[in-house]
Amino acid sequence: MRAATGLDDLDLATDDQGNVSVRAGKYLSKNLYTDVQVGGDGTTQINLNLDLSRSLTARGSVNSEGDSTLGIYYERDY
């Protein structure tokens, strides 16, 4: 299904209250990834991840309720 739609990621998820959401994501370039999540209650959220280096990522999101986040994350695998 992902190949037919051209998406890199396609997920169905449920939260602890049993609400279902669909998330679809795509790499826009080698280090830029975005996904859109639509909840069964009509809420939407868009996320954008920019890999600044192997261990540093800038992440931002905004949802249909007007909330937004922005952060820089350090991740390292051991």
Side-chain angles (χ1 to χ4, degrees):
M1 185 179 238
R2 288 184 322 197
T5 60
L7 297 171
D8 294 315
D9 192 16
L10 183 60
D11 293 320
L12 291 174
T14 58
D15 63 13
D16 55 348
Q17 298 172 352
N19 298 318
V20 177
S21 65
V22 176
R23 184 171 55 100
K26 176 83 175 153
Y27 279 94
L28 303 176
S29 68
K30 184 177 178 180
N31 64 338
L32 183 62
Y33 176 80
T34 187
D35 66 56
V36 176
Q37 184 170 352
V38 179
D41 58 356
T43 60
T44 58
Q45 180 174 350
I46 186 167
N47 303 299
L48 190 62
N49 297 338
L50 176 63
D51 293 333
L52 303 171
S53 70
R54 291 183 70 176
S55 57
L56 199 60
T57 302
R59 293 183 184 153
S61 68
V62 65
N63 67 24
S64 60
E65 297 173 348
D67 299 325
S68 60
T69 62
L70 182 62
I72 296 181
Y73 297 86
Y74 177 78
E75 299 177 73
R76 183 164 179 168
D77 293 329
Y78 295 96

